[in-house]
Amino acid sequence: TATAPALEARGLSVGYGAMPVVHEVDLHVAPGEVVALLGVNGAGKTTCVRALAGDLKPLRGEVRMNGERVQSPLHRRAEHGLRYISEERSVFMGLSAADNLRLGGTDQGRCLELFPELEPLLGRKTALLSGGEQQMLTLARALSVDPQVLIADELSLGLAPLVLERLLLAVRAAADRGGAVLLVEQHVRDALEVADRAYVLSHGRVVLEGDARDLRSRVGEIERTYLAGA
Ligand code: ATP
């Protein structure tokens, strides 16, 4: 029998109050895959991944991990091996970088193995680090547990291209170790470089899905059709 996807949405509708802004989305991420979720601002990407992560309750449809329906809230999904990096940076600004890498039983040694460039920053207060360094702390913490599923929403928000590339390669490596990664990303071309597959959301619906290689070969057309401003 085929292995069940690590993460799956079936007929997922999500909204605020009773009004859906995400409509009947089907998507899946297999172990070892990086899947990009693309779309203009307001397309519903964040709403969709918040439901997948258990941060919003779906109006309809279901979320499955390894073939089993999950209904637990966000804080319980870590037990299923899920890590979620939201758009808001989740580092503690008042703490040192070292303390951020030790919080909640985080394995600081593993974090430094994944991101050796964090070593010289350990003694600094997190608020004084660059946005990229703060995001690296966030990603290091998430990846240090070798999550079965990583959902990352706009990892790259406001980061320099080289930092973005570094983070995306770390995400790719996590998938190569067997994790399933769902990546919301504004930088379509960069995302397609590391992704295996992608879905494009428009007005809360999946309007296109395909292999990253295929989508890369017609990225200009895709940007004009689906991603050119709202
Ligand atoms: P962005 O890249 O700007 O985050 P997105 O594709 O992630 O865009 P969403 O943030 O999911 O899109 O927004 C989809 C729709 O839901 C938009 O019309 C938005 O205004 C609405 N929306 C988002 N968050 C809320 C909220 N907390 N309450 C009510 N409506 C919301």
Side-chain angles (χ1 to χ4, degrees), residues 1-211:
T1 63
T3 337
L7 179 69
E8 186 179 13
R10 289 192 185 180
L12 198 66
S13 295
V14 199
Y16 304 92
M19 177 71 90
V21 298
V22 165
H23 308 274
E24 290 160 39
V25 164
D26 292 313
L27 64 79
H28 60 93
V29 189
E33 263 193 329
V34 176
V35 171
L37 186 59
L38 309 172
V40 296
N41 286 339
K45 306 178 299 295
T46 295
T47 305
C48 184
V49 297
R50 283 183 65 193
L52 284 164
D55 192 31
L56 274 179
K57 207 169 137 59
L59 296 170
R60 275 191 301 282
E62 48 186 59
V63 175
R64 289 172 175 253
M65 288 182 66
N66 302 312
E68 306 244 328
R69 185 168 188 186
V70 282
Q71 293 180 279
S72 53
L74 174 60
H75 67 275
R76 296 277 317 279
R77 286 198 197 185
E79 295 161 24
H80 296 271
L82 183 135
R83 286 292 183 280
Y84 170 53
I85 299 178
S86 73
E87 281 180 302
E88 293 101 61
R89 300 228 158 89
S90 59
V91 280
F92 292 87
M93 295 294 177
L95 299 179
S96 68
D99 285 340
N100 266 294
L101 295 181
R102 286 192 294 242
L103 279 177
T106 306
D107 178 349
Q108 184 187 278
R110 178 67 178 140
C111 290
L112 295 175
E113 223 165 77
L114 292 168
F115 293 99
E117 58 266 66
L118 289 174
E119 178 105 49
L121 308 177
L122 287 178
R124 294 207 208 154
K125 192 172 164 181
T126 300
L128 302 179
L129 300 179
S130 71
E133 290 162 347
Q134 291 170 2
Q135 193 64 317
M136 208 174 277
L137 288 175
T138 305
L139 188 58
R141 281 174 48 183
L143 293 183
S144 68
V145 299
D146 276 319
Q148 250 192 76
V149 174
L150 173 71
I151 298 176
D153 194 353
E154 297 288 355
L155 219 42
S156 65
L157 213 63
L159 303 188
L162 272 178
V163 181
L164 168 59
E165 191 180 327
R166 172 72 179 100
L167 298 182
L168 289 179
L169 287 176
V171 158
R172 176 71 254 173
D176 292 340
R177 292 192 296 274
V181 180
L182 182 63
L183 205 60
V184 172
E185 197 38 81
Q186 291 285 339
H187 295 84
V188 175
R189 289 162 193 262
D190 296 296
L192 290 176
E193 284 298 321
V194 298
D196 298 293
R197 292 187 303 111
Y199 297 87
V200 178
L201 271 190
S202 176
H203 302 288
R205 293 178 196 278
V206 174
V207 290
L208 181 70
E209 65 177 282
D211 280 343

